[in-house]
Structure formats: C-alpha cells, structure tokens
Amino acid sequence: MANNLGLSIDRSSPVPLYHQVVQGIEAAIYSGVLEPGSRLDNEIDLAAQLNLSRPTMRKAMDELVRSGLLVRKRGVGTQVVSSQVRRPLELSSLYDDLTNNGKKPTTEVLSFSHVEADDATLATLQLPAGSKVYHFTRLRKVGGKPLALMENWVRDDISAMDEAMLSAEGLYSILRRGGVNFRLATQRIGAMTANDYQASMLDTSAGSALVTMERTAVDDTGRRVETGHHVYRADSYSFEMTLVQR
Amino acid sequence: MANNLGLSIDRSSPVPLYHQVVQGIEAAIYSGVLEPGSRLDNEIDLAAQLNLSRPTMRKAMDELVRSGLLVRKRGVGTQVVSSQVRRPLELSSLYDDLTNNGKKPTTEVLSFSHVEADDATLATLQLPAGSKVYHFTRLRKVGGKPLALMENWVRDDISAMDEAMLSAEGLYSILRRGGVNFRLATQRIGAMTANDYQASMLDTSAGSALVTMERTAVDDTGRRVETGHHVYRADSYSFEMTLVQR
DNA sequence: CGAATGAGATTGTTCTGACATTAAGACTTT
DNA sequence: AAAGTCTTAATGTCAGAACAATCTCATTCG
C-alpha cells in the first residue's frame, strides 16, 4: 500500500514524478518502514494509489532495481533486497569516517582561494562560464600522522567558506550545514607514486605508493556540489567494499 | 543514419528490440564505425529508420548512456563518449569486463599448481585443514600490453582446472560452467609500488605505481569459492563507482 | 500421492501520443 | 560588436493501451 509507505507526490514540484517515487521508496527502505525482504504492491496498484501512470511507476522501480534496493521478477513481484549493498566507503567524508571510528582527525589548510573556475572544473561541476569556486588544499592527519592530501573545488553558491571552517570540521559537514543534501557521488580509485611535494606533506618518501581517489558529489537537486582529488598513503589506507551480484 | 551504422532489427528474435539496438550501437562504437565524439541522429529519426517506437529507442539509448558509451543533452543531441570505458564495480572478472567492452584480453599462465592450502588460504576460503586448492598466477594483457598480474587460490571441489583452460578463458567463466553461482564478493583496493618481478611482468619500471585488489568471492550456497590478489598498472587501470547516499 | 494442467498475478516489452524543458543558432536591435 | 529575442532542434517527462512472458498456486487426473 503506497499510502502506508508514506509516499506522496507533489505535481507542482520541479522534481520529476518518477524521481519523487524513487526518493519516497528509498526513504521508506532506509527508515525501516519497508523492511528487507518485504514485498511491495504490484506496479499497477502502486501507480493507481499515487495517480501516476504505469510507465512512470516502472521508471521509478527500474531505478531502484538498478541502485540495488529492489529486486523484481516477472510473475512474482517486487521485493526489497535482503542483503543491502554494503559499502564501507559510503557517501561521506574522510573526516566523518575517521570521527565515527573513534579517531581524532586534524586538518591543516595548506591553501585556500575563491577563484574563477577553469574549464575542466566548469565541466565537472556543470557550471556556466565565469563561475567562481572555492579551491583549497588540505592535509588530513590522524594521531599526528599524515594520512591524506586533498584538493577540492566547491561551487560558491552554497555558503560562504573560509580556512577556519575547513580547519575545524569536515567539508561535508560544512556543506550539509549550508543546506546540501548529498545524493550520490561518482568516484574513481587508482594509484600513483608520490612526488616530492606529496611525499613531504605526507611524511613519506618520494616514489612511495599512494592511493588516489577522484570524486564528484551530487546533491538531491542534481547539482554537482564539489569535486576533489585525494591521495592517501597506501600503507595507511585502502578501500574495502562488498560487491553483490546483480 | 541508422543504416550507415549497420543496425538491423530482427523481430523474430527472442532478444528484445531495445536490446538489439543496444548491441548494434555498441558494436558500431567498438568497431570504429561510430567514432568517439561523433553525433548520432536524433532519437525520432533513428526510431523511424528502424521502424521502432520512440520509447523503445529511448530505452536503448538510456542503457547506452548508463553504460558510459553515449552522452545525451536536451536540445543538443546524442554523442559517442570520448573517454575510455573504465571498469564498473561489479561482481565480474576482469576477463569478462574486457571481453564485454570489445577488447581482446589474452591470458598467460605463469604458474599453476594443485597443492595443499596454507593456513591463510584455509582461513580465507573457510576450508578444513588438509584441503587442496588450485593456486596459479596469470598475466593478463590487452592488445598485447600487460595490464594485470593475478594470483588466485580456488577450492578444488568445483571442477577440475588446468593451465589450458585458464589460458583460454576467464576464471569466472570456468567456475560458472562448473556450477558456481556467484553471489557476492568482498574486496579491498589499495596501492603499491612495483617490485622487480612485477615490473618485469607488467612491462613497467620497478617503483612505478600499481593498483592492488584483493578479493574473495562467495557463491549462492555461501561457499568461499576463490580468493585472489591482483595488481594492475596504475597508468592503465582504475576502479570507477557510483556511491548512493544511504 | 505425484504429475500435469490451467488460471491468476505480475513484470517485461512495445506502441501511440502529447507536452515541457533545454540548448543552440539565426536574426534583430542597440 | 554585443546583447536580446525568437525559432528550431532535440531530449526529458508523462500518459494510456495492449500483448507477451514468467512464476506461483490451485485443481484435476492417473
């Protein structure tokens, strides 16, 4: 029963109808209203309950299937996935993760500027030409030991930002307080060897292995909020994850 | 012009029409008929050329966009993506991914043995003491260029395995034919610098950056089927993923 | 009691149709 | 030459409709 799931549709919203359904069902799953393993009403009934067409409802369902939250089978129905995709690497910041793991991270802001974005940044953040961004580099330490060197570009229309804020807390906390609801991020993990600068910042030797991560985060309105290039000491950092067969 | 792409639709085929379009356009891209950066006809024209409906054509296009081959923009059109396809984070094998992406991987089996598992392997694969496993090292090349050096341990009660099989196809294909239904895998991604052996195998220099991946795969009965240590040239390989907010 | 069959439930596929939104380019005006 | 406006092109969204394929369960038959 859609109504029991607390789904609601706002036809005056700029958010597409199918996407409102996605968000509503996601919220129901994460809040526990829809429990793992539980079955949903069939798509025709769900559509009727929300006064939506079946193709619109199907588009929402397909997206939820693709994101691993639902599983569907012809003749059987739709079910909430029982073993959710667990990613130790969630859409969160390193600062959050370290703090949540009982460690005390510190941040040193190495550089900070509010500048006009270059073409690559404009493209990545989908900004119009001439836009300015916050561009900064930070060194993250844990227990006094350098762990990560991070360079980020953040669109400047969210909230003002300065070095003191960045020293005191994580970037994502700052952005959340500025009203950002992170929705997803694309990210690429690779490797490189440390150059002289990176080596000195991370208290390691030039040529040692670094894990690299490039990420672009998107909020719930579809805005590309920030993009970053991070490098981590390979001896102190790796990404762990569980993959589930689709 | 769809006809110039060599697309054809077989309505007697059990393959859905939208999927035939996907396969046809993928083939055109990988064969070079559709070059990176080139623009496609608009979806209405393409649909008309193939006697398909617009929603069917859109469904095919959407899948090609999601798989990273096409990029579309309202008011502008559809274009073949210019960047190299990187490995999505799915439970599959490198061999499968490369083959599916139109590349021709080759495998050189560097070592192969059927031996009693050491304690670490027993623990990782949850095998009783005294169990034997297949233990082998392979070099994976793409277009003649070394990409990955892979060392795996596979439990030996699934199917017989030998060097010829491993040279001819991917490990996961072999295991699937042996009846394995992969369910999930745990994996850790990191970085290291190449030692002399790895450097010589991968045709790179000692000290260069390598992406590392350790994985243990589980089948649908809960068995730990295989565990592996892979290293990839960092200049040719990265992991790409999309994280969704919980 | 087990196998076979059929009905019902549900998703999957395809189609026709229409309107909305975005982007680019042409044209006009300042 | 630059800015503004308008038109055109193309994708994005939504709706209604119908048929196909798959799966489960109940019923019937041997």
Side-chain angles (χ1 to χ4, degrees):
Chain A
M1 175 67 80
N3 291 346
N4 286 0
L5 301 181
L7 298 184
S8 61
I9 292 298
D10 175 10
R11 286 180 180 267
S12 67
S13 167
V15 179
L17 297 177
Y18 76 87
H19 197 65
Q20 292 181 43
V21 175
V22 170
Q23 289 175 318
I25 293 182
E26 277 181 344
I29 291 174
Y30 291 139
S31 70
V33 170
L34 262 179
E35 292 178 347
S38 59
R39 241 170 115 274
L40 274 68
D41 291 346
N42 74 70
E43 63 191 32
I44 296 176
D45 281 352
L46 284 171
Q49 287 157 23
L50 296 169
N51 284 322
L52 297 177
S53 73
R54 189 184 164 214
T56 301
M57 179 59 66
R58 282 185 58 79
K59 188 172 167 73
M61 297 296 211
D62 287 346
E63 294 207 1
L64 290 160
V65 167
R66 273 194 294 277
S67 65
L69 294 177
L70 296 181
V71 62
R72 316 188 84 202
K73 202 163 183 180
R74 193 184 317 196
V76 178
T78 307
Q79 189 179 17
V80 181
V81 166
S82 304
S83 52
Q84 299 288 333
V85 177
R86 273 178 33 249
R87 301 178 188 267
L89 187 68
E90 299 172 3
L91 181 43
S92 55
S93 67
L94 174 60
Y95 192 96
D96 290 342
D97 292 342
L98 291 168
T99 304
N100 289 339
N101 286 336
K103 300 185 176 80
K104 291 180 168 47
T106 61
T107 307
E108 183 182 339
V109 181
L110 303 176
S111 70
F112 182 92
S113 60
H114 186 198
V115 293
E116 188 162 313
D118 61 21
D119 287 345
T121 305
L122 290 175
T124 303
L125 295 182
Q126 288 178 346
L127 293 169
S131 298
K132 292 181 108 183
V133 294
Y134 295 111
H135 177 205
F136 45 89
T137 303
R138 296 170 294 160
L139 179 66
R140 178 68 43 74
K141 292 178 179 177
V142 177
K145 179 183 175 186
L147 175 65
L149 189 54
M150 305 175 290
E151 181 176 12
N152 298 84
W153 296 257
V154 184
R155 57 192 297 155
D156 70 352
D157 54 355
I158 292 169
S159 69
M161 186 175 293
D162 61 26
E163 291 176 66
M165 297 166 74
L166 289 167
S167 294
E169 72 185 296
L171 173 61
Y172 280 30
S173 296
I174 296 170
L175 293 173
R176 285 194 178 97
R177 205 175 48 252
V180 169
N181 292 315
F182 287 104
R183 177 68 180 77
L184 60 80
T186 60
Q187 122 177 335
R188 189 197 310 165
I189 299 172
M192 68 181 290
T193 51
N195 60 34
D196 289 339
Y197 169 75
Q198 290 162 336
S200 69
M201 287 297 110
L202 292 170
D203 196 21
T204 188
S205 45
S208 62
L210 301 180
V211 181
T212 66
M213 196 266 282
E214 293 167 21
R215 175 194 283 192
T216 300
V218 181
D219 76 357
D220 60 358
T221 69
R223 284 187 307 181
R224 306 288 184 81
V225 170
E226 68 96 21
T227 187
H229 289 240
H230 301 183
V231 293
Y232 310 84
R233 291 179 54 138
D235 58 357
S236 307
Y237 201 90
S238 62
F239 293 91
E240 290 188 10
M241 61 203 73
T242 299
L243 308 178
V244 177
Q245 176 72 9
R246 299 242 178 144
Chain B
M1 177 65 79
N3 290 345
N4 285 359
L5 302 181
L7 298 184
S8 61
I9 292 297
D10 176 9
R11 285 181 181 266
S12 66
S13 167
V15 178
L17 297 177
Y18 75 87
H19 198 65
Q20 293 181 43
V21 174
V22 169
Q23 289 176 320
I25 293 181
E26 276 181 345
I29 291 175
Y30 292 138
S31 71
V33 170
L34 264 177
E35 292 179 348
S38 59
R39 241 170 115 273
L40 273 67
D41 292 345
N42 73 72
E43 63 191 32
I44 296 176
D45 282 353
L46 284 172
Q49 287 159 24
L50 296 170
N51 286 321
L52 297 176
S53 72
R54 190 183 164 212
T56 300
M57 178 59 66
R58 282 183 60 79
K59 187 173 169 70
M61 299 294 209
D62 288 345
E63 293 207 1
L64 290 159
V65 167
R66 274 195 293 279
S67 66
L69 293 178
L70 297 182
V71 62
R72 316 186 84 201
K73 202 163 182 179
R74 191 185 314 196
V76 178
T78 306
Q79 189 179 16
V80 180
V81 164
S82 310
S83 59
Q84 182 182 10
V85 175
R86 285 171 292 274
R87 188 179 185 187
L89 207 60
E90 294 178 359
L91 179 45
S92 58
S93 68
L94 175 59
Y95 191 96
D96 289 342
D97 292 342
L98 291 168
T99 305
N100 289 337
N101 284 337
K103 301 186 176 82
K104 292 179 170 44
T106 61
T107 308
E108 183 183 338
V109 181
L110 303 177
S111 71
F112 182 93
S113 62
H114 185 197
V115 294
E116 189 162 311
D118 59 21
D119 287 345
T121 305
L122 291 176
T124 302
L125 293 183
Q126 288 175 347
L127 292 171
S131 297
K132 292 182 106 183
V133 294
Y134 295 112
H135 176 206
F136 45 89
T137 304
R138 295 168 296 157
L139 180 65
R140 176 72 38 78
K141 292 177 179 177
V142 176
K145 178 183 175 185
L147 175 67
L149 188 55
M150 305 174 294
E151 180 176 13
N152 298 84
W153 296 258
V154 184
R155 56 192 298 157
D156 70 351
D157 55 354
I158 290 168
S159 70
M161 184 174 294
D162 61 26
E163 291 177 67
M165 297 167 72
L166 288 166
S167 294
E169 69 185 297
L171 173 61
Y172 279 31
S173 295
I174 296 170
L175 293 173
R176 285 194 178 100
R177 204 172 52 251
V180 169
N181 291 315
F182 287 102
R183 180 65 180 80
L184 61 79
T186 59
Q187 137 174 323
R188 184 193 308 165
I189 300 173
M192 68 182 289
T193 51
N195 60 34
D196 289 338
Y197 169 74
Q198 290 163 336
S200 69
M201 287 296 110
L202 292 170
D203 197 21
T204 187
S205 46
S208 63
L210 300 182
V211 181
T212 67
M213 196 266 283
E214 293 166 21
R215 174 194 282 193
T216 301
V218 181
D219 75 357
D220 58 359
T221 68
R223 285 186 305 180
R224 305 287 182 81
V225 170
E226 68 97 21
T227 185
H229 289 236
H230 301 185
V231 294
Y232 310 86
R233 292 179 55 137
D235 59 357
S236 307
Y237 201 87
S238 60
F239 289 89
E240 182 167 285
M241 63 202 72
T242 299
L243 306 178
V244 178
Q245 178 70 11
R246 280 162 145 235

